[in-house]
Amino acid sequence: MNTFALTRRRLLQAGGFLSVSAMLPHSALASGTPDSAFPVSERSKTQLGSFIALSADGRVTAFNGHVDLGTGVRTALTQYVADALDVEFSAVTMILGNTSLTPDQGPTIASSTLQVTAIPLRKAASQLRQQLIQLAAAAMKVPAEQLHTEAGWVVDSHTPARRLSYGQLASNEDSNLPLDPDTPLNTATPRYVGQSVARVDIPAKVTGKLSWIHDLRLPGMLHGRVIRPPYPGTDSSAPLGHSLISVDESSVAHLRGIVKIVVKHDFVGIVARREEQAIAAMRALKVEWQPWAQVPALDPESLPVTLADCAKSPRVLREDAEIDGALNERHIAIDADYVWPYQLHGSIGPSCAVADVSARQAVIWSGTQNPHDLRRDLSLLLNMDTGWIEVKRMEASGCYGRNCADDVSADAALLSQATGHPVRVQLMREQEAAWEPKGSGQLMRVRGGLDKDLQVSCYQLHTCYPSNNATTLPLLLTRKVENKPDVQTMGDRSAIPQYRFPQMRVVCEDAAPLVRASWMRGVSAMPNVFAHESWLDEAAWRAGQDPVAFRMPSIQDSRAIALINAVKKLANWQEGPAHRQQQQGDILRGRGFAWARYFHSKFPGFGAAWAAWVCDLTVNRRTGVVKIDKVYVTHDCGQMVNPAGVRHQVHGNIIQCCSRVLKETVTFDDRGTTSLEWGSYPLLRFDELPEVEIQLLAYPEEPAMGAGESASVPGPAAIANALFDATGRRFRAPPFTPERVLQVLQGAEK
């Protein structure tokens, strides 16, 4: 019996069961659903899964295919269900990301949970409420129009004392209705949506009661460790799957506790009775690999050349008819190249998973953000039908995209299958840093200019973003999947600037990965907006105008205009051209502005939330140290389901963005990643955090846009523009470390 059947039996033990399930094409689930919300293999197929169930004890169980990565969506989805069904918040239990219980709604990416996958859940709750009204109408023998609901009761509007509880109505029923996509959302009884409800996950986290994936222990569990090829973090250019020469098992024969050494082509793993025994064996095992060292030059000086010279396929996103003529006739030409570095997700805890694989069943406990995609990978890896595989998602270290959670889940599954015991695998810190799919580097080349009236006459962007869909590593190591270039089309996020320019050309140059990469917060939108907003700041300066006022005539989006006006007021913006040289001794002060709307999913994509920044910073011209003193941010994500949750997300975006822009870059040599610990990949420290002031713009009647990524998108440009205001020099390649700042300043002096 599958897990859903067991859950249904538990609900029925209370005496009844009502549910609404989805069994319809994904296109019917939500108007305007982005393709990224569903896995590629399923986009034209039926989406199956129970969305919401009511038992006779009045408890509600709701199901969503996404997971909560610390963003608070479990709480927000509970708020949505409680209001749509009209029950107490405490009556709702959310089940997220369990492959045996929840629908396959694709990976949890693009801030799309509330914007996209919540819609069928809300429709199911609204439909279940209508079903309860119909059941009550039959029981009370009154027209359904005479009834309304109140917090888990159906009430006779004419005689309020006549009422039936939801539990009473479910007690003699056992029905499951298909989801009707035309069901109107119940928005008539909002008690929780729009309120800062306390997050349901926080109490267990702060008291230590929560079991993280790293805490899980099973009876009879063994411990595993893996040995990776010596080409850390490489992709299709390395001989993954064909590089192992030999494994000398006698080199660890003297060690205690070893249960098995598992070798499958380039996959090498060790299973031991205790964790420290597995670690000791991993370090002692003699493994010989083929020599290989062909990673292209990715150091800061070489990265723009490498990205410019790599093989790529141009994809025109927009091309106005007179763009070439406008470029030739520029009154003032403004050309600039911008470079974004490779960066780590930098999960504080290395990825971990536990697997229990038998001949007919596999259960994997994982911190994945892609439970259904992972199940398909495991099916191929284990030669097992997906129906026999269950992925149970547990809380794990933050990832801001995809880290090694899927890789280590596959490691654990292979080792469990080989030993017939549950096996726990945790990566070492250096393995996580080496092999996690990096946030990709990016090259943005802008050519544009001003006309004689000192307005933008033309804008051309060529953006090169090497692909980011890293295959689950054990599939490559075991040769289940051929290690070949996989060119994706994900470099176009927010690639078309949100301005009305007379002539524009935007070209996305799709390229194969240079090293192992995957999506990271902001994906290609953050670098693209960094180029847009930095270039516009330079154009405003060349025109001798205030950088905010210069932009406004080209903006047609009324919500963007309101957002920008709000941040000007919040920050007490003083109009005037940039670079007014505020200096006290060696300390230079600057202020910068940028804004953006985040667009995600397959081009042309879907607009998510808006954000605008004003950044105040200081630069020590002697040491090169940049200190971000204060950040003002206005944010518009439409309907805020949980305003406190939105504020927390925006604040976290700001802090992480500042760290990425000031400090973070992955280093490589010709064999692969060399940023293997925190000393070689520093993060922003607590004593370096800026003061943050946030204003959330309320649009309760508008759709929710998702707030997980958008606030970070304009941040790099705002910081770079503040650096120009302070120093009079343009900074076009984060991170803005002291060494790089001094290099720019000293180069300018020369």
Side-chain angles (χ1 to χ4, degrees):
M1 183 178 294
N2 63 30
T3 309
F4 175 65
L6 291 171
T7 302
R8 193 167 185 272
R9 173 183 288 179
R10 177 180 61 79
L11 293 169
L12 282 168
Q13 287 174 352
F17 175 84
L18 293 175
S19 68
V20 175
S21 298
M23 189 174 179
L24 63 166
H26 86 265
S27 59
L29 294 182
S31 175
T33 301
D35 282 343
S36 68
F38 301 94
V40 173
S41 60
E42 300 295 323
R43 285 177 189 162
S44 63
K45 298 182 180 180
T46 296
Q47 294 294 313
L48 269 172
S50 174
F51 278 103
I52 190 161
L54 169 71
S55 61
D57 58 4
R59 299 291 305 173
V60 179
T61 308
F63 305 82
N64 185 278
H66 279 193
V67 303
D68 192 332
L69 297 166
T71 59
V73 297
R74 183 185 299 275
T75 303
L77 289 171
T78 303
Q79 291 173 255
Y80 263 150
V81 170
D83 272 0
L85 186 53
D86 194 5
V87 295
E88 297 291 344
F89 179 87
S90 59
V92 181
T93 300
M94 281 300 312
I95 306 295
L96 301 177
N98 184 309
T99 58
S100 294
L101 291 174
T102 64
D104 183 354
Q105 294 173 299
T108 306
I109 57 175
S111 302
S112 63
T113 302
L114 298 187
Q115 185 180 11
V116 179
T117 66
I119 294 177
L121 183 63
R122 297 169 66 195
K123 285 182 177 289
S126 300
Q127 182 176 332
L128 183 53
R129 174 176 169 273
Q130 289 298 323
Q131 182 187 4
L132 289 162
I133 291 175
Q134 294 296 330
L135 289 172
M140 296 181 181
K141 296 182 174 54
V142 299
E145 295 76 14
Q146 187 174 315
L147 303 176
H148 67 275
T149 60
E150 289 181 7
W153 296 81
V154 181
V155 181
D156 187 338
S157 299
H158 293 175
T159 311
R162 294 188 67 201
R163 56 179 57 203
L164 291 170
S165 72
Y166 286 4
Q168 288 174 293
L169 292 167
S171 62
N172 296 317
E173 298 290 330
D174 179 13
S175 68
N176 178 48
L177 296 178
L179 176 62
D180 179 0
D182 295 324
T183 298
L185 295 175
N186 174 34
T187 59
T189 55
R191 288 196 297 154
Y192 300 108
V193 171
Q195 303 301 314
S196 292
V197 175
R199 276 177 47 173
V200 298
D201 57 319
I202 297 299
K205 288 179 177 177
V206 299
T207 60
K209 292 182 179 179
L210 178 72
S211 289
W212 302 81
I213 180 60
H214 300 74
D215 301 325
L216 182 64
R217 299 294 186 271
L218 299 178
M221 186 182 78
L222 304 175
H223 294 269
R225 283 296 189 273
V226 292
I227 296 97
R228 301 295 197 210
Y231 331 120
T234 52
D235 203 273
S236 58
S237 58
L240 302 179
H242 301 272
S243 59
L244 182 63
I245 295 175
S246 65
V247 175
D248 181 6
E249 296 193 17
S250 66
S251 62
V252 295
H254 63 289
L255 297 178
R256 298 178 58 184
I258 297 176
V259 174
K260 192 167 187 175
I261 296 174
V262 180
V263 179
K264 292 189 176 184
H265 299 296
D266 279 6
F267 177 85
V268 181
I270 293 175
V271 182
R273 300 195 180 282
R274 297 177 58 86
E275 186 172 17
E276 72 273 15
Q277 294 170 337
I279 294 172
M282 174 197 70
R283 290 174 173 161
L285 185 67
K286 292 183 179 179
V287 183
E288 185 179 2
W289 305 90
Q290 291 182 14
W292 181 89
Q294 298 178 30
V295 173
L298 300 175
D299 58 275
E301 290 71 27
S302 303
L303 182 57
V305 177
T306 299
L307 290 170
D309 292 346
C310 71
K312 54 181 73 77
S313 301
R315 181 164 48 96
V316 178
L317 307 180
R318 174 172 170 175
E319 186 166 41
D320 295 337
E322 304 299 326
I323 179 64
D324 289 324
L327 287 168
N328 290 332
E329 296 170 4
R330 292 175 287 178
H331 177 64
I332 298 177
I334 307 172
D335 298 341
D337 291 352
Y338 303 89
V339 185
W340 192 262
Y342 282 88
Q343 295 183 323
L344 291 178
H345 300 283
S347 300
I348 296 299
S351 294
C352 179
V354 178
D356 188 3
V357 181
S358 64
R360 296 280 296 180
Q361 185 181 30
V363 182
I364 290 83
W365 292 263
S366 172
T368 181
Q369 68 176 125
N370 323 290
H372 292 86
D373 287 356
L374 175 60
R375 181 172 65 168
R376 278 187 286 276
D377 285 349
L378 294 173
S379 174
L380 177 60
L381 184 70
L382 302 175
N383 295 317
M384 184 178 289
D385 187 271
T386 55
W388 299 349
I389 300 172
E390 181 180 9
V391 176
K392 294 186 175 184
R393 205 273 170 178
M394 292 185 66
E395 292 273 14
S397 297
C399 58
Y400 312 107
R402 182 178 165 199
N403 57 8
C404 285
D406 290 12
D407 302 322
V408 77
S409 299
D411 293 334
L414 277 176
L415 296 180
S416 178
Q417 186 181 54
T419 59
H421 291 274
V423 175
R424 176 186 182 273
V425 180
Q426 180 173 309
L427 298 182
M428 309 302 291
R429 162 56 54 199
E430 63 271 18
Q431 291 175 327
E432 178 75 29
W435 287 98
E436 66 144 90
K438 312 297 186 290
S440 183
Q442 194 165 336
L443 173 64
M444 295 74 61
R445 314 190 93 162
V446 179
R447 304 293 179 263
L450 306 181
D451 59 22
K452 291 182 179 181
D453 295 325
L454 301 182
Q455 298 297 311
V456 175
S457 63
C458 53
Y459 185 88
Q460 174 181 280
L461 171 73
H462 283 249
T463 180
C464 177
Y465 176 77
S467 296
N468 66 350
N469 195 33
T471 302
T472 299
L473 190 56
L475 288 173
L476 299 177
L477 299 178
T478 59
R479 301 187 197 171
K480 290 289 187 177
V481 172
E482 183 182 355
N483 188 26
K484 61 182 181 180
D486 182 12
V487 178
Q488 299 283 311
T489 57
M490 294 189 70
D492 50 33
R493 276 40 174 181
S494 298
I496 296 180
Q498 299 301 294
Y499 294 95
R500 182 187 60 201
F501 295 151
Q503 294 293 321
M504 195 184 304
R505 177 188 286 133
V506 178
V507 180
C508 186
E509 298 174 336
D510 301 320
L514 301 178
V515 291
R516 196 164 191 252
S518 189
W519 52 83
M520 187 172 175
R521 177 177 267 171
V523 199
S524 58
M526 182 185 285
N528 285 331
V529 169
F530 171 57
H532 299 328
E533 290 294 291
S534 295
W535 185 90
L536 271 162
D537 200 77
E538 183 162 352
W541 179 73
R542 298 288 290 274
Q545 297 185 33
D546 174 81
V548 181
F550 178 78
R551 288 167 165 84
M552 298 304 279
S554 299
I555 301 174
Q556 296 179 296
D557 182 347
S558 61
R559 285 170 70 170
I561 293 171
L563 179 90
I564 294 168
N565 286 333
V567 83
K568 285 178 61 180
K569 183 177 180 181
L570 183 70
N572 190 26
W573 181 267
Q574 302 298 307
E575 290 200 0
H579 187 41
R580 285 162 280 182
Q581 195 68 33
Q582 302 177 56
Q583 181 174 349
Q584 288 181 310
D586 289 328
I587 303 300
L588 307 175
R589 297 186 180 278
R591 166 170 272 203
F593 164 82
W595 79 279
R597 188 181 185 192
Y598 177 46
F599 280 77
H600 63 84
S601 301
K602 186 176 180 179
F603 187 81
F606 293 79
W610 296 255
W613 280 51
V614 170
C615 172
D616 291 334
L617 56 74
T618 56
V619 184
N620 187 313
R621 61 184 302 178
R622 181 177 54 84
T623 65
V625 172
V626 178
K627 184 178 187 302
I628 300 176
D629 297 307
K630 187 163 184 176
V631 175
Y632 302 86
V633 169
T634 52
H635 190 267
D636 170 6
C637 63
Q639 181 190 63
M640 290 183 285
V641 182
N642 190 319
V646 174
R647 186 174 297 275
H648 297 156
Q649 281 300 292
V650 172
H651 195 279
N653 267 264
I654 293 167
I655 298 305
Q656 187 192 28
C657 178
C658 291
S659 181
R660 292 173 71 179
V661 173
L662 293 187
K663 295 202 171 196
E664 299 183 36
T665 182
V666 181
T667 56
F668 302 89
D669 61 17
D670 56 3
R671 295 175 61 204
T673 308
T674 56
S675 298
L676 302 179
E677 33 67 42
W678 299 121
S680 59
Y681 194 84
L683 307 175
L684 203 67
R685 302 191 311 265
F686 280 109
D687 61 351
E688 298 171 315
L689 298 182
E691 183 181 351
V692 174
E693 189 167 348
I694 300 166
Q695 180 179 341
L696 304 177
L697 275 62
Y699 290 92
E701 303 305 318
E702 296 293 333
M705 289 287 111
E709 299 179 78
S710 53
S712 62
V713 172
I719 296 169
N721 295 339
L723 277 171
F724 173 78
D725 189 43
T727 67
R729 304 300 167 191
R730 290 289 168 189
F731 291 81
R732 300 188 175 110
F736 306 134
T737 61
E739 296 77 15
R740 292 191 181 189
V741 170
L742 285 177
Q743 186 178 27
V744 171
L745 295 181
Q746 292 167 359
E749 291 174 0
K750 293 178 182 178

